[in-house]
Amino acid sequence: MKINKKALFFDIDGTLFSEKLRQVPQSAVLALKKTMEKGNLTFINTGRTWCQTSKIREEAPVNGLLCGCGTYISVDGKTLYDQRISPERAEKLKEDILRFRMDTVMEGVDACFFRPDGVQTETMRAIRSILDQSGSVSAKNWSDPSFSISKFCVAVGADSDPAGFFETLRDFEVIDRGGGFYECVPMGHSKASAIEWILKQYGIALEDAWVFGDSMNDLSMFQYVPNAVVMGKTRCRAGAVCDVYGEDRGGRWDLPGDGRAGAFVRKQWFGV
């Protein structure tokens, strides 16, 4: 029986990228190569913006990257979609972030930007440390003349007014990542919208798409695509809509987990 070409979409952190090893396990690299040899298409589908993906681009063999929750699409090294927040709207965001005393990282295609007065919360301090290591932070923070963003995240501090701030975001989807941390994406963009764009571009049916993820910004693609694999049973509150589970076991990419469904996916799509 002829097998239709599949399109496989992967989150990075906790899915392709082992949070224990801080790299893509070789078992994952092998699985990606195997499924591409079968003629399937592979895409990273991430909340990270392009500038935050340099390490994953070096380690993971894929056809393309869907970045910034659907705001940027690159296939075979070519930029096919790039939606940015207008300069006027971005300036208003800066004003409101300061007015409501929110901490933030504002994420662009070319760089990430923090408040000029420094990080205000432990959450954002940890994020700043990771982004500094990747070389994706602007040294001039958001006063950089090249300031341009696609999305942003905010963290709630002791004196923040998140309710007041979120009232100003009628044109954004606000994703609660837990612990007072929120991801803010321009309305109409999501990991699901990026998948829809790719499927139309390649003429692939929705039922021939598979998605793999682990967190709340993966919820849109879990709900949109009928074939979903969630990594880590306890970490994703969207688990109820997913079919099979996988697990990051550190040195080995166990994708998906045990059982007949898992064995079928491993053999059929990954050849391992």
Side-chain angles (χ1 to χ4, degrees):
M1 188 174 85
K2 186 177 184 292
I3 300 297
N4 294 330
K5 179 181 291 188
K6 309 298 177 184
L8 311 177
F9 301 87
F10 301 88
D11 176 46
I12 295 179
D13 299 291
T15 303
L16 270 186
F17 192 81
S18 169
E19 294 181 333
K20 298 174 184 176
L21 291 180
R22 302 305 302 167
Q23 67 182 41
V24 179
Q26 283 304 302
S27 54
V29 173
L30 173 62
L32 290 171
K33 288 180 177 178
K34 288 281 189 181
T35 198
M36 292 171 76
E37 288 171 4
K38 286 172 168 279
N40 297 322
L41 299 174
T42 59
F43 300 92
I44 285 171
N45 196 2
T46 178
R48 298 189 196 186
T49 50
W50 176 259
C51 65
Q52 302 171 54
T53 64
S54 57
K55 183 175 175 60
I56 199 78
R57 278 183 265 143
E58 293 173 358
E59 296 182 4
V62 292
N63 295 103
L65 285 92
L66 322 180
C67 299
C69 290
T71 58
Y72 183 89
I73 297 174
S74 173
V75 179
D76 295 329
K78 297 179 180 179
T79 300
L80 302 183
Y81 185 84
D82 183 1
Q83 179 65 44
R84 307 193 190 195
I85 297 169
S86 72
E88 296 78 18
R89 185 67 181 98
E91 288 302 314
K92 185 63 168 60
L93 287 171
K94 293 180 188 177
E95 294 174 9
D96 289 336
I97 284 168
L98 295 176
R99 178 159 64 104
F100 293 102
R101 301 171 300 283
M102 305 293 289
D103 205 0
T104 190
V105 55
M106 308 190 85
E107 302 164 87
V109 172
D110 302 311
C112 293
F113 309 87
F114 290 85
R115 286 175 47 154
D117 53 348
V119 295
Q120 310 295 308
T121 61
E122 287 303 315
T123 297
M124 209 57 74
R125 188 167 288 110
I127 291 172
R128 172 89 196 226
S129 176
I130 293 171
L131 293 182
D132 278 338
Q133 293 175 32
S134 71
S136 57
V137 177
S138 166
K140 297 182 180 179
N141 296 308
W142 74 27
S143 59
D144 192 323
S146 66
F147 178 82
S148 175
I149 59 171
S150 305
K151 60 184 281 281
F152 65 99
C153 295
V154 292
V156 177
D159 64 341
S160 298
D161 178 7
F165 179 66
F166 295 146
E167 279 295 314
T168 72
L169 299 182
R170 301 299 178 88
D171 50 341
F172 286 84
E173 179 184 0
V174 178
I175 304 168
D176 184 355
R177 301 295 301 270
F181 184 73
Y182 299 86
E183 190 168 16
C184 306
V185 183
M187 202 65 74
H189 292 82
S190 66
K191 290 189 175 184
S193 72
I195 291 173
E196 182 181 22
W197 195 97
I198 287 292
L199 295 182
K200 288 181 178 178
Q201 185 81 359
Y202 285 93
I204 296 175
L206 184 60
E207 57 267 27
D208 288 324
W210 282 75
V211 297
F212 305 81
D214 75 309
S215 62
M216 285 308 292
N217 72 357
D218 297 320
L219 179 57
S220 68
M221 66 177 187
F222 289 152
Q223 292 175 330
Y224 177 62
V225 177
N227 307 304
V229 176
V230 60
M231 305 292 289
K233 295 182 181 181
T234 61
R235 291 176 45 201
C236 179
R237 286 171 280 174
V241 303
C242 299
D243 296 322
V244 285
Y245 292 94
E247 186 175 348
D248 172 10
R249 296 188 184 275
R252 175 166 160 258
W253 197 52
D254 189 20
L255 177 62
D258 297 329
R260 293 175 62 188
F264 172 79
V265 173
R266 277 198 302 273
K267 184 175 181 180
Q268 191 78 355
W269 310 141
F270 296 102
V272 293

